[in-house]
């Protein structure tokens, strides 16, 4: 089973979904904004990927946070921010065969799915 987590309108998400479809790889897409995200799911993602890796500090949502929210960021504080504003979660998050992979690069996906170039 393959699951792709993210936000539908994100350009990187569109690229990842297009790649999976071109390779005819079946997957389930979970949109954080539409389908929701539980604290338990987010904690599980953080345990697998590391909360620092999961937090998208390059995105507009994070950059627009008040400095007080960014100061002395702990895992608990970061998870609360990501849960409140899922756009702060790095995407896509691909879960395939129980392994979690952040971001999208075609070469990485080829390796994950064992496809030869």
């Amino acid at each position: 089973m393959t699951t792709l987590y993210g936000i539908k309108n994100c350009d990187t998400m569109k690229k990842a979904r297009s790649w999976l479809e071109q390779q005819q790889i079946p997957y389930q897409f979970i949109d954080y904004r539409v389908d929701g995200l539980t604290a338990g799911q987010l904690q599980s993602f953080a345990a697998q990927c590391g909360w620092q890796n999961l937090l998208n500090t390059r995105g507009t949502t994070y950059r627009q946070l008040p400095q007080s929210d960014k100061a002395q960021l702990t895992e608990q504080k970061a998870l609360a921010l990501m849960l409140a504003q899922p756009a702060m979660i790095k995407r896509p998050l691909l879960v395939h065969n129980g392994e979690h992979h952040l971001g999208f690069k075609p070469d990485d996906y080829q390796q994950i799915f064992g496809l030869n170039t």
Side-chain angles (χ1 to χ4, degrees), residues 9-77:
N9 294 333
C10 169
D11 288 341
T12 308
M13 288 298 307
K14 290 176 185 177
K15 291 175 188 175
R17 293 179 73 189
S18 177
W19 187 92
L20 289 168
E21 290 162 9
Q22 287 173 359
Q23 303 303 318
Q24 299 180 351
I25 295 172
Y27 68 95
Q28 178 183 14
F29 174 60
I30 305 291
D31 187 321
Y32 297 133
R33 290 184 177 154
V34 175
D35 302 309
L37 177 70
T38 67
Q41 286 174 308
L42 189 57
Q43 287 172 341
S44 174
F45 297 161
Q48 294 294 320
C49 303
W51 69 267
Q52 297 95 335
N53 296 329
L54 202 56
L55 182 63
N56 180 10
T57 57
R58 293 182 178 180
T60 305
T61 305
Y62 179 83
R63 289 193 319 253
Q64 290 178 345
L65 285 175
Q67 191 58 39
S68 60
D69 284 346
K70 298 182 212 177
Q72 299 176 336
L73 205 54
T74 64
E75 179 175 2
Q76 185 177 0
K77 191 174 177 182

Side-chain angles (χ1 to χ4, degrees), residues 74-108:
T74 64
E75 179 175 2
Q76 185 177 0
K77 191 174 177 182
L79 292 177
L81 288 169
M82 287 186 273
L83 193 58
Q85 298 187 57
M88 282 194 273
I89 302 171
K90 186 172 181 182
R91 49 195 183 267
L93 171 59
L94 175 74
V95 180
H96 177 68
N97 290 338
E99 293 185 8
H100 294 61
H101 308 274
L102 280 171
F104 171 72
K105 291 183 182 168
D107 291 345
D108 291 347

